[in-house]
Amino acid sequence: MAYTFDFSGRSALITGAASGIGAASARWLDDNGIEKLWLIDRNGEGLDALDLSCAVEKRCGDVADETFWSGLEEEIDALDHAVVNAGIATGGEIATLAFDDWRKVMDVNLDGAFLTLRTALRKMLPAARGSIVVTASVTGLKPVPGIGGYGTSKAAVAHLARIAAAENARHGIRINAIAPGGVDTAIWDSGEDFRAATRKYGREAAIGAMGKDTPRGRFATPEELAGDIGFLLSDMAANVTGTVLTSDGGYTL
Ligand code: NAI
């Protein structure tokens, strides 16, 4: 069955838009009639590579930089939607995790999400309408060993989204989080274990081997996640706020 979504006349901001889930979300919103996108990433080349038919403003910057957001707040008049999505991964058990690595992942995944969410809310509150999706992770729900910094940052952003939902429902703004399981994106390429598996077996086989651990038997595509995010952003989810939607092929079962 084909569902139709109508984002015509609307604007949206997406962080982490140069790659993976963020880029797929930009394409999904473009395909579903969005009028204008604000695309944010620290990877300018990735942003440049996105070819979309809607009006697009691309900004290269660090989501954890408050000054970047102050500048952007002066540029954006109003927003209807936001996807708070930029993130990085880090590995290592707590006993051996360097404080610097802990700080780096909190900086991007938590501070960056807070600053993005705050800007999005400030641009939605005057019109008293809007919807936001925050990209969390199943690792924020299930305590997976070896990724304490990442998992903790994702548990925190899911909670941040729920508090924002409680604060803003009366203002007509919905905030939900999505908790993906494994998705085949570039984020995996930053991990040492994954890079070693890729060198040994090839990237497709390395992703395939990890996907076999989920009941579905494979990782999701970024496009599948973009569809979930698009649904939560859309008016079809008008009664849904403060939820953390797990999209993991059964990994947490
Ligand atoms: P990705 O690596 O393809 O995309 C992440 C994007 O965020 C990149 O374009 C990167 O340049 C950007 N970014 C990173 N730090 C930034 C910063 N400080 N400022 C601005 N941009 C920054 O990875 P993916 O998978 O698309 O990640 C999107 C979100 O999904 C992340 O929050 C990630 O933690 C989350 N996620 C991903 C899963 C996966 O298996 N791929 C599973 C669960 C959650």
Side-chain angles (χ1 to χ4, degrees):
M1 183 189 294
Y3 294 96
T4 53
F5 296 92
D6 184 8
F7 286 83
S8 56
R10 309 264 185 98
S11 61
L13 177 146
I14 304 173
T15 64
S19 174
I21 297 168
S25 298
R27 289 191 294 267
W28 191 96
L29 285 167
D30 189 39
D31 288 346
N32 286 279
I34 197 98
E35 186 173 307
K36 179 166 184 172
L37 286 174
W38 291 85
L39 302 181
I40 317 296
D41 206 289
R42 62 182 176 187
N43 173 1
E45 278 180 23
L47 286 180
D48 287 345
L50 274 174
D51 186 17
L52 302 168
S53 55
C54 64
V56 181
E57 294 284 348
K58 298 175 181 178
R59 295 290 180 275
C60 191
D62 181 347
V63 290
D65 176 2
E66 189 176 15
T67 314
F68 170 75
W69 288 108
S70 318
L72 205 57
E73 278 183 29
E74 287 180 20
E75 287 193 74
I76 300 174
D77 283 338
L79 279 176
D80 298 295
H81 306 286
V83 185
V84 182
N85 171 75
I88 57 169
T90 191
E93 293 205 353
I94 294 165
T96 50
L97 187 62
F99 185 56
D100 194 38
D101 289 341
W102 167 270
R103 280 299 334 143
K104 268 188 208 145
V105 79
M106 292 301 163
D107 186 54
V108 179
N109 293 8
L110 186 52
D111 297 359
F114 162 73
L115 291 169
T116 311
L117 184 59
R118 190 176 71 175
T119 293
L121 288 169
R122 287 174 177 175
K123 295 296 160 185
M124 292 175 188
L125 280 165
R129 65 156 201 274
S131 64
I132 300 172
V133 174
V134 176
T135 310
S137 165
V138 288
T139 62
L141 306 172
K142 174 174 170 157
V144 179
I147 48 167
Y150 181 76
T152 304
S153 73
K154 291 302 185 178
V157 292
H159 202 59
L160 180 72
R162 284 167 54 75
I163 292 170
E167 288 177 350
N168 290 284
R170 70 184 186 283
H171 301 305
I173 303 169
R174 298 185 297 106
I175 300 103
N176 291 289
I178 184 141
V183 188
D184 183 0
T185 72
I187 204 167
W188 290 96
D189 301 301
S190 63
E192 194 42 56
D193 290 350
F194 183 75
R195 282 210 298 269
T198 296
R199 280 194 296 274
K200 202 163 170 190
Y201 307 111
R203 193 177 186 284
E204 205 179 314
I207 284 279
M210 289 191 302
K212 283 206 171 66
D213 288 344
T214 67
R216 187 189 187 193
R218 69 167 178 83
F219 270 15
T221 64
E223 287 71 27
E224 286 170 331
L225 267 296
D228 298 332
I229 290 168
F231 165 72
L232 288 173
L233 289 177
S234 78
D235 297 347
M236 301 258 279
N239 195 43
V240 183
T241 195
T243 196
V244 182
L245 176 68
T246 301
S247 174
D248 69 349
Y251 175 74
T252 43
L253 291 175

